[in-house]
Amino acid sequence: QVQLVESGGGLVQPGGSLRLSCAASGFSFSSWTMSWYRQAPGKERELVAVITTAGVGTNYLDSVKGRFTIYRVNAENTVHLQMNSLRPEDTAVYYCNAAFTSGLGRKYDYWGQGTQVTVSS
């Protein structure tokens, strides 16, 4: 079955770094667009970063541009989010998402269970 398993979250001081990882299985990973979302308490889930199937195209939430980098290793079925210069406002549960649109326009997406990132001194 499809699984997305995130890891790498934790507690970090402002200005610190974390690398989140998402290990995928059960689907043709290299054909799916991969994304990281986050949800802070009392707020809606928001898209943080997205990467295309071949890893050539990326896009970021404005507030993380220049600080976060998304990349994927298709040979290992993994996608990562390198987070630098972390701020307290980056505190949230971070979710890995896999998305695919078939040739007939049907959309599919899967979610991981989430990993907590807390930025605090």
Side-chain angles (χ1 to χ4, degrees):
Q1 77 271 23
V2 172
Q3 277 195 311
L4 296 173
V5 180
E6 299 103 332
S7 61
L11 173 64
V12 63
Q13 293 187 341
S17 297
L18 283 175
R19 188 184 79 151
L20 304 184
S21 297
C22 174
S25 60
F27 62 102
S28 183
F29 178 80
S30 62
S31 298
W32 291 57
T33 297
M34 298 301 297
S35 303
W36 287 95
Y37 286 74
R38 69 185 181 187
Q39 187 166 20
K43 295 188 176 181
E44 292 192 354
R45 190 172 296 189
E46 63 181 354
L47 176 63
V48 176
V50 58
I51 187 166
T52 57
T53 54
V56 175
T58 58
N59 205 3
Y60 297 91
L61 183 67
D62 282 348
S63 63
V64 309
K65 285 180 180 177
R67 301 187 298 122
F68 291 10
T69 301
I70 186 172
Y71 63 99
R72 64 191 297 164
V73 183
N74 284 345
E76 297 178 356
N77 287 1
T78 57
V79 61
H80 308 274
L81 185 68
Q82 178 65 44
M83 306 187 294
N84 299 327
S85 302
L86 283 161
R87 305 168 180 169
E89 54 264 38
D90 295 317
T91 295
V93 178
Y94 284 71
Y95 296 91
C96 178
N97 172 267
F100 177 80
T101 301
S102 73
L104 297 177
R106 183 171 177 179
K107 296 184 178 181
Y108 301 82
D109 73 328
Y110 300 118
W111 294 90
Q113 82 287 351
T115 186
Q116 176 70 47
V117 171
T118 303
V119 185
S120 174
S121 54

